[in-house]
Every structure is written in C-alpha cells, then in structure tokens.
C-alpha cells in the first residue's frame, strides 16, 4: 500500500482509565485484565515486551463563538475563558473508572467543536512496567500506532475555552485521556524509551536487564549479543549528544552489559559518565574479566573505572577492589599469573601518580595508603608517603588519622618500631604548627548530648578490628579532625615518650581555643577532653601529668569565658541610652531615658504624637507601653523594665547549667577530674571565673540581708481608681549600696 509505514510499536486503548498510581497489570479491570494477561504471555514467548501507559491528546483551534451552538452548549460572548470537564457534563461517577462514550453519544456533547485546527499533540504521559514501576514520561506517539481506528471520535474529557477578545476570535483546546497497552519487540524498547521528546529521567534498567538475561541464557546467540550491543551504543550516543538525564543506576547496568558481551568500549563509556565510584560488585567483575581476557584488552576500561572517582579515597579503594576481584580467579595458569604482575605494576603507577598530584584527600585515604606500604616496602613509607603527608598540613583530619594509624601499625608489629617512631615524630613536629579546627559537621563516630556537642563513643571502632577497619569510609566531608582522633594522637605521643611533641601539640590546641569558633568547644574540644582520660587509662599514662593538667585547665577556662561567657551585669540604675529623633517630643523622651532614678513617664498628647513613640522610638524589649484612657487626649505611660537583662541572664544561667553538666561528664569519677584540674578544680567547676563578684556567695557580713530588688509587685489601680487583684505595677525604688566605694 502506498505510504504505508510499518509501526515500530502498537498501542491498544483500554476500556477503562487509570490514574498513574493504579497503572499496573494487577489493577486492571474486567476485560482489560483478561486481554492484558493473554497479550503478556504471547509477548514473552515471541520476544516482545508489554508495557502500560497513560495517553494524552491535546487539540486546539478556532471554534464557533455563538451563545448557543448545535451541540447543546450555551456560551456567552465575553472576554473571560471557561474550562469545562466531561465529568460535570456526563455526570460520570469516577474519571478513573469511566467507560468510553457510546456510539449514540454526540461526537462533542456540550463542548465547542473545533472548526480550524491550530495545534495537535499526542503523547504517552507515563509509561510503566507490568508491576507499575515507572520507566519513562512524555514520549511522543503517532496516531497510526494505535490499533483502534477513530479512537478519538468521541467527546473530549475536558476543554479550555477562550472567549472573544476583540483582536482574536474564540479558541478552544480539547483534552483526551486514555490508558493503553504498548507492544514492541524487546530489542526496540531502549530506542522507544529514549524518545527524541524525552527530557526527564528514563528508567532503562529493566529493559537492559532483560536483554542481558537473554544473552546469558543463550551464550551462543550472536543475534541477542548484537541487539544488546546496539542498545548500549544507542544509549551512550544519546547520553553524549542529547545530554539526556540517565541515572548512574542505568549506567551501571551498561557496565554489566559490557561484561556479558565482552565489550570494553561500552564499559569505558559508561564508567566515564558515572559520577563517583562504581559499585563494589562491578569493580570485582572488572578484575575478573581482566584476569581472563588480559589487561591489554581492558586497560582503557580500567583507567576509566579508577580515574572517574572524585577523591583519593575512592580511587584507592577502586584499585584495591579490582585487585581483589582479579586475585579471586588466580590459579596456576601462567597467563593469569602474568596478567597479575601487569596489573600490580599498573596499580603501583596509579598510586605514584596520585602521590604526585592528588589534592582531594581525606582521612579515609590514610588506611588505604598504609596498606600500600605492606605491598611496596618500608622505603615507600619514608620516601613517598611521609613527604606526601607533610605536603597536606592544611588538611589536619587526614594527617592526624594517618599518624594515629601508623602508630597503631607499629604497635601491632606491621613495621619496624624504630621506623614508625621516627616517622611519627618527624611528621608530627612538622605538621602541628599547621593544625586548625573549624566548625563542621559532627563526626559519625560521635553522638550528640544536650545543646553543647557530641559525646564520643569509645572506642570508635569495633572490637578486634584490623588497622584498615579502624577508620571505615564515611560520608562526612570534614577537614577537621574529631575530638576522638585528637585525644588518640595526644595519648600516642605520651605513650611513646615524645614529651616535646606532646607539649607542642597541647600548646597548639590551647592556642586554637583562643580563636576558634565557640561552637567548636562542643563539637571537638570537649569530646577530646572526655576521651583523653580513657586513652590514658588504656595506655597506663599517669593522669597527674603536667601536660594533661595544662590542657584541661586551659581548655575549660577558655570554654567558660568564650562559650558560656561572663554573667550579664545587672544595670545599677534606670538610665538608658537616648532614642529620640531630635524633635521636641523626643527631647522630652530622652530626658526621661537619661534619668537614673525615674522609671515611669506620662505623655499626654494626640494619637499621632503617641504613635510616634509607639511605632518608631520605643519598640524594644526594655519598655512597657500602656495607655490611660481617662481624659482627652489620652495619656501614654512609658515604663522602663529589665526585660532584656532578665532574658540574657536566663540564657546565661542555662549555659551555666549545661556547662556544669558537660564538665561533670568528662570523667565518671570525681577524683580523676580533680587530678586533671589540680588546684583550679574548685574555681572551674564552680564557674567562679565568669560569675559576678556579688553572686559568688552571701554578703561577707554575717547575717547581712541581700540587696533589695529594684522592683516590687503591688496592686495596680484601674482606670476608675480602684485596685485590681493580681495586676502588677513596677515602682521606682532608690537604693544605696553600702558596699560600693
């Protein structure tokens, strides 16, 4: 037939409409379910696939503009638009379950017929698998793909009608919605999903996994392998040219497909597009195929898998996983043994390259770098690792972790003790001057307490954990070492007898406490002090130690003065700073504010003059404004208060309470904390350094009474001159302080 186009897919309109949430095989109704089940069985046997979709058609154009048309609708001329839904016209009980209109129903019902088509679109708004899992959205469709003829020879589901506007005639847009089945050959599903109109994320994983399974079931089926290869290349091409939003999960399936059909180029392209490190199982499989096919065949894929990750830890970890995957398949085969030597040489070259240029390094990389020492020898530690660590003094979380782990490795006899001791002290002395602590996210090894920071979990690693396991990769992006790591570093210095290095580190921490953001006390410094006694006890380090006492005394004193702060001083009289704008009324106001004994001021004036004070001048927490409504004009009563000081003092008392709780939590036993604080124990624990002198205890004179408060509560007269029970009034009280000079 001339002009006939063989469709790439077939679309069958269902008898019911379904919402996106209900669009799945198990939720189809009546004949829809029976037909879909039969088709699904046939498609599986014939190498086709069956999908479900919601279809939307929009058709817009000019229409009749009369007040009454031949289709029974009454519409008035005007400038306003109308929207009419078919449900309101046909009184359908449910849009979701609506049956199609019968043949006897008018083609348009009460909607405006379009007499001049301007635009028309047909698309699959949602495409899902049989179980309802989403696959794609907004895929264009040709009406020729629909099996039923005249599928839209019915009234629309709703309409947008624009009335006459003067410059333009009346227009309307008809909307048709249906649910449907989509049938196509399995090898065409990827091309169908990556539709030219697709702009949102598509789910290619089910389609690709189906093709991969077909290849693995029939290993000699070259046609299936070719179909899978074409699908993968098509995806990669669209990803690179059309910049489609294909998720990492879909790209990982491409890597699996490359293994199934042994196409390194597909793996290389997929790995280059993935944002981050490939999954462990994929990297292990890469090691396996390198073992069997040879490094030469898969080297470009190896480079893509190990160069794509953004940071050093991910790159090192990818190398380790690939190497482990390779070794799982090593046996006496000489070819495989030769491939292993080539792979080890390539990994060594990759590590050397990282040490020469890597800048994005975190604490997670420390253990992986030390693992390389076991492979490359102790000369690698002295000649390559230590210079690299020293170059990253601005990243204390990395080098503190590195030093702690190399110390532990020496304790467990991984390396010669003398080598470890020299390397530890050499690196520490060069790095401590660069130590800085910033306010960052809490380390995953800690948990919060109160409002003032984390309580460390000790020890931070599981029992009997290996050196590599003692710092598991975390999602944290901190560059600041945790309080636990700093405590471990101090303990390592003390147990190694490095007194000078320990003193230098403690002096640096005290110096940091002078300038660091106060929130760091809670996030880092207090957890460090809490952990240090446990470290000392585990390493048999004496707590009556001058260095420890210096650290605890200085850090806690700075904690009180910089975080808790000195007690807010109560004003000695009622004088306040001027607030006026310079007008005559404000000059009178400023005179009242400057008066040290006067607490209340009456201002009888017109409303606009009173509002001047209420809205512009006296809006603040240290004033109470009342209006006396007797007489004319009314009187504004301004009363000075201590509200702001009272609020500040309550907040300070709350910080004091939390500080006491935090300091008591440093040690379970009181005598341990007394040893650590020495002769400053009472002063620090009683918060004497931040309390006002008058509040450190009772007045020195025996039996002396406390000072009288500046305010007292009495009954307040109402506007009628009577006293109202429970009301408060603040009176001015003159005070003579006999203790002052």
């Amino acid at each position: 037939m001339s002009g006939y186009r063989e469709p790439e897919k077939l679309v069958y309109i269902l008898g019911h409409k379904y919402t996106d949430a209900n669009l799945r095989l198990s939720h189809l109704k009546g004949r829809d379910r029976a037909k879909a089940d039969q088709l699904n069985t046939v498609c599986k046997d014939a190498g086709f696939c069956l999908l479900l979709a919601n279809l939307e058609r929009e058709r817009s154009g000019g229409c009749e503009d009369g007040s009454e048309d031949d289709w029974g609708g009454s519409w008035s001329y005007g400038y306003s638009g109308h929207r009419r839904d078919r449900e309101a016209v046909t009184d359908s009980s449910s849009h979701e379950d609506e049956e199609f209109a019968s043949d006897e129903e008018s083609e348009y019902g009460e909607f405006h017929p379009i007499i001049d088509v301007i635009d028309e679109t047909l698309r699959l708004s949602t495409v899902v698998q049989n179980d309802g899992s989403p696959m794609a959205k907004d895929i264009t469709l040709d009406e020729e793909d629909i099996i039923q003829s005249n599928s839209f020879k019915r009234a629309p589901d709703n309409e947008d009608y624009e009335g006459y506007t003067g410059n333009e005639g009346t227009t309307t847009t008809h909307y048709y919605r249906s649910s449907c089945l989509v049938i196509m050959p399995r090898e065409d599903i990827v091309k169908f999903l990556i539709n030219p109109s697709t702009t949102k994320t598509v789910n290619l994983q089910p389609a690709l996994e189906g093709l991969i399974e077909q290849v693995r079931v029939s290993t000699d089926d070259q046609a299936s392998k070719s179909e899978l290869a074409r699908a993968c290349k098509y995806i990669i091409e669209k990803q690179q040219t059309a910049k489609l939003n294909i998720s990492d999960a879909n790209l990982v399936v491409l890597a699996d497909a490359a293994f199934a059909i042994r196409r390194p180029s597909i793996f290389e392209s997929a790995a280059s597009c993935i944002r981050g490190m490939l999954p462990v199982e994929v990297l292990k499989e890469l090691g396996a195929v390198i073992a069997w096919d040879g490094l030469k065949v898969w080297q470009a894929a190896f480079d893509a898998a190990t160069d794509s990750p953004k940071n050093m830890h991910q790159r090192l970890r990818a190398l380790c996983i690939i190497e482990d995957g390779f070794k799982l398949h090593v046996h006496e085969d000489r070819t495989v043994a030769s491939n292993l030597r080539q792979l080890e040489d390539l990994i060594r070259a990759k590590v050397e390259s990282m040490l020469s240029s890597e800048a994005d390094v975190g604490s997670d990389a420390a253990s992986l770098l030390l693992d390389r020492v076991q492979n490359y020898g102790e000369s690698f530690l002295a000649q390559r690792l230590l210079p690299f660590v020293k170059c990253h003094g601005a990243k204390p979380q990395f080098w503190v972790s590195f030093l702690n782990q190399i110390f532990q490795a020496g304790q467990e006899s991984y390396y010669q003790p003398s080598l470890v001791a020299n390397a530890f002290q050499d690196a520490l002395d060069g790095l401590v001057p660069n130590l800085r602590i910033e306010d960052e996210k809490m380390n995953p090894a800690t948990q919060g307490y109160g409002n003032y920071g984390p309580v460390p979990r000790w020890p931070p690693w599981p029992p009997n954990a290996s050196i590599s396991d003692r710092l598991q990769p975390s999602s944290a992006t901190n560059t600041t070492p945790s309080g636990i790591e700093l405590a471990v570093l101090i303990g390592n210095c003390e147990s190694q007898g490095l007194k000078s290095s320990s003193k230098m580190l403690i002096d640096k921490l005290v110096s940091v406490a002078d300038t660091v953001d106060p929130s760091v006390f809670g996030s880092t410094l207090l957890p460090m002090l809490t952990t240090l006694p446990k470290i000392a006890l585990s390493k048999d380090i004496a707590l009556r130690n001058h260095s420890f006492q210096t650290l605890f005394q200085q850090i806690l004193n700075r904690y009180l003065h910089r975080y808790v702060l000195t007690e807010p001083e109560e004003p000695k009289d009622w004088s306040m700073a001027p607030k006026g704008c310079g007008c005559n009324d404000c000059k009178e106001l400023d005179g009242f504010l400057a008066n040290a004994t006067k607490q209340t001021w009456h201002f009888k004036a017109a409303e606009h003059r009173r509002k001047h004070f209420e809205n512009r001048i006296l809006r603040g927490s240290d004033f109470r404004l009342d209006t006396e409504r007797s007489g004319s004009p009314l009187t504004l009563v301004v009363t000075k208060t201590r509200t702001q000081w009272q609020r500040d003092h309550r907040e300070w008392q709350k910080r004091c309470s939390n500080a006491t709780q935090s300091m008591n939590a440093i040690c379970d036993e009181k005598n341990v904390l007394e040893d650590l604080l020495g002769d400053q124990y009472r002063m620090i624990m009683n918060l004497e350094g931040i309390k006002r002198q008058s509040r450190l205890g009772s007045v020195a004179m025996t039996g002396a009474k406390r000072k009288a408060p500046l305010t007292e509560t009495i009954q307040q007269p109402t506007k009628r001159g009577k006293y109202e029970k429970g009301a408060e009034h603040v009176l001015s009280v003159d005070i003579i302080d006999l203790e002052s000079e």
Side-chain angles (χ1 to χ4, degrees):
M1 182 182 295
S2 176
Y4 173 75
R5 178 185 66 84
E6 181 177 348
E8 297 177 350
K9 55 189 172 295
L10 295 175
V11 176
Y12 180 79
I13 306 294
L14 295 171
H16 292 76
K17 297 173 185 176
Y18 304 89
T19 63
D20 289 350
N22 271 338
L23 192 60
R24 63 187 64 197
L25 197 62
S26 61
H27 288 186
L28 299 185
K29 302 176 180 180
R31 288 177 294 176
D32 288 348
R33 176 66 181 272
K35 293 175 183 178
D37 284 341
Q38 292 294 327
L39 281 172
N40 193 35
T41 302
V42 172
C43 286
K44 288 180 178 178
D45 295 339
F48 280 67
C49 64
L50 178 72
L51 304 174
L52 288 82
N54 274 332
L55 179 150
E56 293 186 3
R57 183 198 193 207
E58 294 182 17
R59 194 166 184 258
S60 60
C63 65
E64 295 288 347
D65 57 1
S67 60
E68 184 172 345
D69 55 36
D70 296 336
W71 287 268
S74 294
W75 303 88
S76 60
Y77 293 102
Y79 294 91
S80 62
H82 305 274
R83 184 176 183 92
R84 179 174 285 245
D85 292 336
R86 187 176 176 216
E87 291 86 345
V89 175
T90 63
D91 194 27
S92 173
S93 60
S94 171
H95 174 69
E96 178 184 334
D97 302 331
E98 179 187 350
E99 293 281 2
F100 285 112
S102 64
D103 295 337
E104 288 79 11
E105 181 178 298
S106 170
E107 179 180 347
Y108 287 94
E110 296 187 13
F111 294 89
H112 292 78
I114 296 175
I115 59 176
D116 181 20
V117 177
I118 298 174
D119 188 33
E120 187 171 3
T121 62
L122 184 63
R123 66 191 178 93
L124 298 175
S125 60
T126 301
V127 182
V128 301
Q129 299 179 71
N130 292 343
D131 63 356
S133 301
M135 295 194 72
K137 290 183 178 293
D138 299 330
I139 292 183
T140 56
L141 192 67
D142 291 329
E143 196 165 345
E144 297 175 0
D145 295 332
I146 301 176
I147 295 175
Q148 296 99 321
S149 60
N150 299 324
S151 53
F152 300 107
K153 197 72 172 178
R154 61 179 177 86
D157 295 295
N158 49 42
E159 173 188 49
D160 262 344
Y161 171 76
E162 292 291 336
Y164 179 74
T165 60
N167 296 325
E168 298 181 2
T170 56
T171 61
T172 187
T173 300
H174 290 174
Y175 298 92
Y176 300 81
R177 296 182 179 87
S178 299
S179 298
C180 61
L181 303 175
V182 184
I183 308 164
M184 72 190 74
R186 186 172 295 278
E187 61 267 20
D188 291 339
I189 188 172
V190 171
K191 188 175 180 180
F192 163 75
L193 293 174
I194 306 182
N195 189 278
S197 65
T198 303
T199 57
K200 299 181 179 179
T201 300
V202 294
N203 183 14
L204 302 170
Q205 191 169 348
L208 285 173
E209 287 176 344
L211 294 173
I212 293 171
E213 182 63 23
Q214 195 172 346
V215 168
R216 287 175 174 165
V217 170
S218 305
T219 55
D220 296 330
D221 187 354
Q222 295 301 320
S224 297
K225 292 181 180 180
S226 298
E227 290 171 7
L228 180 56
R230 283 197 302 271
C232 292
K233 290 180 180 178
Y234 186 78
I235 294 171
I236 292 169
E237 178 185 350
K238 291 299 180 181
Q239 169 79 1
Q240 294 173 343
T241 58
K243 296 183 179 179
L244 292 177
N245 186 12
I246 299 178
S247 67
D248 283 355
N250 288 296
L251 293 171
V252 167
V253 181
L254 282 180
D256 287 335
F259 296 143
I261 57 179
R262 287 297 201 270
R263 295 290 181 90
S265 59
I266 293 175
F267 183 97
E268 179 185 357
S269 300
S272 300
C273 296
I274 289 178
R275 297 163 286 274
M277 192 182 79
L278 286 164
V280 172
E281 59 273 13
V282 174
L283 293 172
K284 284 187 175 180
E285 185 69 16
L286 177 59
V289 296
I290 291 175
W292 293 110
D293 297 349
L295 180 60
K296 184 176 181 180
V297 176
W298 289 91
Q299 181 165 348
F302 173 86
D303 291 339
T306 55
D307 293 343
S308 296
K310 303 301 181 184
N311 58 59
M312 187 178 198
H313 166 255
Q314 290 184 341
R315 295 183 184 184
L316 288 169
R317 191 159 179 250
L319 291 173
C320 293
I321 294 170
I322 293 172
E323 187 176 23
D324 290 343
F326 187 105
K327 290 179 178 179
L328 288 175
H329 298 272
V330 171
H331 50 76
E332 294 182 358
D333 189 309
R334 293 183 178 180
T335 303
V336 175
S338 175
N339 290 340
L340 176 59
R341 287 192 294 272
Q342 294 178 16
L343 179 63
E344 289 174 341
D345 291 342
L346 183 57
I347 291 175
R348 173 78 182 259
K350 289 276 186 183
V351 173
E352 293 283 355
S353 176
M354 291 183 204
L355 295 178
S356 300
S357 59
E358 192 68 40
D360 190 3
V361 58
S363 62
D364 294 336
S367 61
L368 295 175
L369 286 172
L370 284 172
D371 286 342
R372 294 290 112 190
V373 176
Q374 299 180 37
N375 296 335
Y376 305 150
E378 295 177 348
S379 61
F380 178 75
L381 171 64
Q383 299 173 11
R384 297 295 289 126
L385 274 192
L386 287 180
F388 174 78
V389 173
K390 288 181 179 180
C391 288
H392 289 80
K395 297 182 178 179
Q397 189 190 39
F398 165 67
W399 60 257
V400 168
S401 175
F402 180 87
L403 291 176
N404 284 335
Q405 292 190 59
I406 193 176
F407 180 87
Q408 190 64 33
Q411 294 294 106
E412 297 176 1
S413 302
Y414 282 99
Y415 317 118
Q416 293 182 8
S418 59
L419 174 69
V420 170
N422 292 335
F424 182 88
Q425 183 170 13
D426 180 40
L428 181 66
D429 292 348
L431 291 168
V432 165
N434 297 318
L435 177 63
R436 72 176 192 275
I437 303 176
E438 298 173 351
D439 180 26
E440 301 191 50
K441 296 178 182 179
M442 284 197 291
N443 190 286
T446 62
Q447 59 186 19
Y449 69 85
N451 299 319
Y452 296 96
V455 168
R457 184 173 62 243
W458 180 259
W461 46 73
N464 303 319
S466 66
I467 181 174
S468 298
D469 293 334
R470 294 193 176 175
L471 187 57
Q472 291 296 326
S474 67
S475 59
T477 57
N478 297 357
T479 58
T480 296
S482 70
I484 290 177
E485 291 171 325
L486 291 171
V488 172
L489 185 61
I490 295 171
N492 290 338
C493 290
E494 290 289 329
S495 64
Q496 193 71 16
L498 304 177
K499 298 298 182 182
S500 60
S501 298
S502 178
K503 182 179 183 304
M504 180 172 62
L505 177 58
I506 288 173
D507 290 345
K508 181 63 177 181
L509 288 169
V510 171
S511 174
V512 166
D514 282 328
T515 58
V516 77
D517 188 283
S519 60
V520 171
F521 284 99
S523 64
T524 304
L525 295 178
L526 288 185
M528 176 189 71
L529 298 184
T530 305
T531 306
L532 195 51
K534 301 178 178 68
I535 295 283
L537 292 173
S538 68
K539 295 179 177 292
D540 294 326
I541 302 172
L543 291 175
R544 285 184 173 276
N545 180 314
H546 176 72
S547 297
F548 280 9
Q549 282 193 347
T550 300
L551 178 66
F552 277 77
Q553 291 173 354
Q554 298 297 328
I555 294 294
L556 290 182
N557 268 310
R558 283 157 176 77
Y559 169 57
L560 295 178
H561 284 89
R562 300 199 62 238
Y563 193 90
V564 184
L565 304 177
T566 303
E567 179 181 11
E569 183 177 6
E570 183 177 5
K572 293 182 174 59
D573 54 43
W574 289 111
S575 61
M576 294 183 175
K579 293 181 176 292
C581 66
C583 66
N584 291 331
D585 288 343
C586 286
K587 289 178 181 178
E588 186 178 350
L589 168 69
D590 287 342
F592 161 67
L593 296 179
N595 193 309
T597 60
K598 191 174 183 180
Q599 188 184 357
T600 304
W601 177 53
H602 293 71
F603 181 68
K604 191 169 187 175
E607 182 179 9
H608 72 278
R609 295 170 63 192
R610 300 196 310 272
K611 289 291 184 182
H612 178 63
F613 294 147
E614 292 177 359
N615 297 333
R616 297 180 56 190
I617 305 301
L618 297 177
R619 183 175 295 172
S621 58
D622 270 346
F623 298 94
R624 189 178 72 246
L625 306 181
D626 300 298
T627 302
E628 291 184 355
R629 300 188 177 276
S630 59
S632 179
L634 304 183
T635 302
L636 176 66
V637 181
V638 181
T639 304
K640 301 173 184 176
T641 69
R642 293 281 185 256
T643 305
Q644 185 62 51
W645 173 82
Q646 290 168 350
R647 182 182 296 114
D648 292 343
H649 199 268
R650 283 194 300 269
E651 291 297 323
W652 176 81
Q653 288 176 321
K654 182 180 178 181
R655 292 197 301 274
C656 286
S657 175
N658 282 279
T660 301
Q661 178 184 355
S662 301
M663 291 189 297
N664 284 327
I666 290 177
C667 295
D668 297 332
E669 300 179 10
K670 179 181 177 181
N671 62 323
V672 174
L673 191 56
E674 289 178 345
D675 288 341
L676 290 167
L677 293 179
D679 57 359
Q680 294 189 28
Y681 174 79
R682 184 178 299 276
M683 183 190 71
I684 292 175
M685 298 306 293
N686 290 339
L687 313 182
E688 294 178 3
I690 58 174
K691 289 182 179 179
R692 294 289 171 185
Q693 190 64 30
S694 61
R695 292 184 177 268
L696 290 178
S698 58
V699 180
M701 295 175 60
T702 304
K705 296 183 178 180
R706 295 179 59 85
K707 295 181 182 179
L710 289 177
T711 63
E712 60 182 56
T713 301
I714 65 168
Q715 292 180 335
Q716 180 181 359
T718 65
K719 63 182 181 180
R720 296 180 180 179
K722 297 181 179 181
Y723 285 92
E724 186 175 68
K725 186 178 181 180
E728 291 186 357
H729 182 61
V730 183
L731 295 181
S732 176
V733 179
D734 293 331
I735 295 177
I736 300 175
D737 189 353
L738 299 178
E739 295 180 348
S740 66
E741 296 181 357

